[in-house]
């Protein structure tokens, strides 16, 4: 862990212009326009600074519009215009249950009699999970992506639902290269051969929203080209509306389904996927993250740059990264890269990005992270990025401290600052549920807590709050997802590290860098 920052080190950092009166860094970076004014990163690439200004001017109001659109899409309304699609979905549900009854019942009964009831239950659960995942694949890209979100929704949904979709991957068959060519030429206004000296017809990856091809620009720059699937935006909009209506009916049918907070997950899905459908927003995300990293002085994480004049709603051309896959431990170690440093740097970047810069990559997983030859983290796929204003960042810090100290009132108050509770929710009932959860783990000492135990507590707390009708904020879910991913990565790359201790050390580092500001925020819930 890095030593505490000295006054001289602080003065040398890019954020020195915003030092507080005590000579510490501010616990919040300035506005995006001010960050860009002092950032040097954009000047490395001709035309990028001007492109960032344009993307940002477009993106801020567009995100607000999409946020309201997500609310409209997820408001149940029994839209009869989608009866055909709804019928297809009902047909898949009937097929799943039919196959379970006709195909899986006999083996389940035999296993129950020969190996015990638990073996039978395990078999039927595994078969049901497999058939549901297969149905999602048959229903198309929207459901594949929704299944992936469910798999990453630990803390928002019950464990049994999350585990059902755990094997789900955002992988679908690629679409035809001629469609790729047509889309690029239509969006960028030139022939493919005039834009690129080389273009790989076979995609590097094909996902539910887009597929990615390797290419080389006319000036020799290696790039990747992300191309959106044809008609995907309209298909996703329609499917979100159908899902919302279906969930409304299921909520009326069963209390258990209502308590699972599926509507909250659909709203989260609508908010994230709407932004992913406009690659200009992704280019803006990429640049904001890169500028934030520079101004925070974080050199261990690298964000690629988009190519100016080659970004539209459906096409995104960006710098290509090469390096080690994040889960290729042997290759990383053979290169002499210290995996312990990788983990420590990633923790610092995630926590500081969320609590100080107010922007962080919202979808960390092995496919979106690459270890560059010089040992830095290379981030990819900026379609999902979380933004938090100063109020929400402070609320996140207070929530984490309240969680660690079992301060139930503090948890509810800090969560309420996210404007997450419905009008008239039963505060006393929620306090009782949180108190029962705290009592169940009362024997755990804070100084002996493992990261697994902390994350389990985090996830269960959010699940309890969600069961009382709260909307679980997108940025909170993404922060939890990143911590879960880092914990899993630690177990692979540096299993001897106690990740929770490392997070604690990060906050100690923050105290040296940001002065008493961090203590003031945390102290408001510690009494």
């Amino acid at each position: 862990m890095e030593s505490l920052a000295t006054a001289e080190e602080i003065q040398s950092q890019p954020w020195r212009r915003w030092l507080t009166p005590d000579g510490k860094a501010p616990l919040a970076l300035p506005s995006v326009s001010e960050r860009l004014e002092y950032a040097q990163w954009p000047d490395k690439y001709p035309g990028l600074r001007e492109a960032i200004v344009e993307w940002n001017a477009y993106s801020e109001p567009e995100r607000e519009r999409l946020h309201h659109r997500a609310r409209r899409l997820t408001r149940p309304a029994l839209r009869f215009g989608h009866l055909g699609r709804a019928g297809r979905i009902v047909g898949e549900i009937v097929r799943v249950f039919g196959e379970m009854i006709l195909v899986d019942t006999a083996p389940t009964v035999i296993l129950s009699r020969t190996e015990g009831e638990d073996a039978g239950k395990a078999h039927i659960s595994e078969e049901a999970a497999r058939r549901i995942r297969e149905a999602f694949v048959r229903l198309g890209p929207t459901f594949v992506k929704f299944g992936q979100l469910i798999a990453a929704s630990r803390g928002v949904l019950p464990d049994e639902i999350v585990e059902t979709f755990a094997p789900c991957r955002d992988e679908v068959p690629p679409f035809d290269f001629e469609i790729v060519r047509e889309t690029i030429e239509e969006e960028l206004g030139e022939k493919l051969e005039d834009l690129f000296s080389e273009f790989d017809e076979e995609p590097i990856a094909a996902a539910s929203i887009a597929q990615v091809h390797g290419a080389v620009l006319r000036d020799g720059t290696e790039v990747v080209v992300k191309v959106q699937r044809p008609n995907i935006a309209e298909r996703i909009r329609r499917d979100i509306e159908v899902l919302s209506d279906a969930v409304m009916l299921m909520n009326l049918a069963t209390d258990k389904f209502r308590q699972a907070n599926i509507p909250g997950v659909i709203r989260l899905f609508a908010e994230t996927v709407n932004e992913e459908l406009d690659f200009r927003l992704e280019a803006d995300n990429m640049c904001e993250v890169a500028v934030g990293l520079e101004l925070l002085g974080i050199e261990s994480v690298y964000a690629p740059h988009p190519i100016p004049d080659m970004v539209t709603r459906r096409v995104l051309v960006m710098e290509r990264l090469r390096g080690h896959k994040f889960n290729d431990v042997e290759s990383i170690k053979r290169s002499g890269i210290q995996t312990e440093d990788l983990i420590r740097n990633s923790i610092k970047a995630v926590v500081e990005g969320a609590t100080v810069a107010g922007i962080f990559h919202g979808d960390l997983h092995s496919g979106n992270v690459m270890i560059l030859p010089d040992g830095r983290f290379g981030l990819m796929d900026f379609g999902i990025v979380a933004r938090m204003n100063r109020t929400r960042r402070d609320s996140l810090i207070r929530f984490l401290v309240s969680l660690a100290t079992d301060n139930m009132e503090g948890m509810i108050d800090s969560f309420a600052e996210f404007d997450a509770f419905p009008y008239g929710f039963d505060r006393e009932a929620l306090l009782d549920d949180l108190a029962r959860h705290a009592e169940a783990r009362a024997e755990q000492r804070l100084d002996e807590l493992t990261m697994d135990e902390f994350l389990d507590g985090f996830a269960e707390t959010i699940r309890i709050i969600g069961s009382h009708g709260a909307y679980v904020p997108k940025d909170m879910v993404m922060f939890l997802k990143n911590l879960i991913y880092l914990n899993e990565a630690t177990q692979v790359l540096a299993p001897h590290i106690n990740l929770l201790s490392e997070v604690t050390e990060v906050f100690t580092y923050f105290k040296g860098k940001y002065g008493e500001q961090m203590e003031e925020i945390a102290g408001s819930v510690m009494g």
Side-chain angles (χ1 to χ4, degrees), residues 408 429 431-441:
M408 270 70 74
L431 276 171
D432 288 343
D433 283 350
L434 290 174
R436 279 193 290 272
H437 171 55
E439 185 178 348
R441 58 190 188 98

Side-chain angles (χ1 to χ4, degrees), residues 402-403 405-412 426-444 457 460-462 464-465 467-468:
S402 299
L403 178 65
T405 56
D406 280 332
N407 180 345
M408 270 70 74
E409 294 277 3
M411 290 182 209
I412 294 176
D426 192 334
R427 183 185 181 94
E428 293 305 315
L430 176 54
L431 276 171
D432 288 343
D433 283 350
L434 290 174
R436 279 193 290 272
H437 171 55
E439 185 178 348
R441 58 190 188 98
E443 296 181 0
Q444 293 177 321
E460 182 61 21
T461 298
I462 291 181
I464 291 169
I465 292 173
S467 71
H468 283 257

Side-chain angles (χ1 to χ4, degrees), residues 43 56 71 257 261 270 309 375:
D43 297 323
N56 189 250
R71 290 195 172 196
F257 193 88
N261 196 26
D309 300 323

